[in-house]
Amino acid sequence: MIDFAPMQNGEITYLDYAEREKIDVAALREFSDKSIDFLLSLLDGLTDADIVNTPEDPEADDPYAVDGEERIGWTFGHLIAHVTASTEEAAAFSSLLARGVAASERPRYETPWRDMTTVAKVRQRLEESQRMRNAYLDSWPDSPFLDVHRVVSERFAARFGNMNAPAAFLFGLSHEVGHYDQIEEVRQQALAARSMA
């Protein structure tokens, strides 16, 4: 998997990285599939109870949560609903940009996290997300527009730079990878809670 730290730290923009590394649609598909494979591997050995186990998370702070849920720990299912939604949103942006559409509205839908209650549902969500991401990549034309950028705020552009189709996809994928440690910690807490029961 890509080391996204230089992009997240502002050492290089996603667009500059994509251009330097000549990231194309095939590379994006490979990175995305590897991420899905990794997340699916984390389901090994989990039970339905593990998926809904609420972890201890003293750093939990979600200002966009509904009232009363701003500081709750996110379950394994909650995290999967969140990261897949973000990567699909990025894939949707990449599809539009590759076809010459300078998108501004966020094409985002997140599966309700409370519906993620079983291993089977999480597996289905991950496999569905993989299919959707690949479908967005399939929609790229043979000669994608690489000079069309997302319409973003000045603050966003100052922090992350311009986003063309490859950069937009990488941005979403970096968010998913950025949650890996948290997902693994939540998994370990669930297994520990089960062993203590």
Side-chain angles (χ1 to χ4, degrees), residues 123-137:
R123 185 179 306 282
Q124 181 274 333
R125 172 83 280 265
L126 286 166
E127 291 172 350
E128 176 180 67
S129 184
Q130 182 175 33
R131 176 178 54 79
M132 292 169 69
R133 297 175 199 193
N134 286 336
Y136 281 122
L137 291 173

Side-chain angles (χ1 to χ4, degrees), residues 2-85:
I2 297 171
D3 176 11
F4 287 106
M7 288 163 268
Q8 293 168 340
N9 297 335
E11 298 168 35
I12 186 171
T13 67
Y14 288 85
L15 190 149
D16 288 342
Y17 177 87
E19 289 180 348
R20 185 187 77 192
E21 299 299 321
K22 298 180 174 39
I23 302 295
D24 60 9
V25 72
L28 294 172
R29 187 186 315 278
E30 179 184 353
F31 299 144
S32 179
D33 286 348
K34 283 183 178 178
S35 187
I36 290 288
D37 288 345
F38 173 71
L39 294 172
L40 284 168
S41 77
L42 295 181
L43 289 174
D44 291 347
L46 294 187
T47 66
D48 293 347
D50 299 328
I51 297 299
V52 297
N53 180 70
T54 302
E56 293 292 326
D57 185 357
E59 297 180 16
D61 183 17
D62 181 5
Y64 303 105
V66 299
D67 287 344
E69 294 184 357
E70 297 90 348
R71 303 200 50 86
I72 63 170
W74 285 12
T75 66
F76 191 98
H78 191 160
L79 284 163
I80 296 302
H82 176 71
V83 299
T84 54

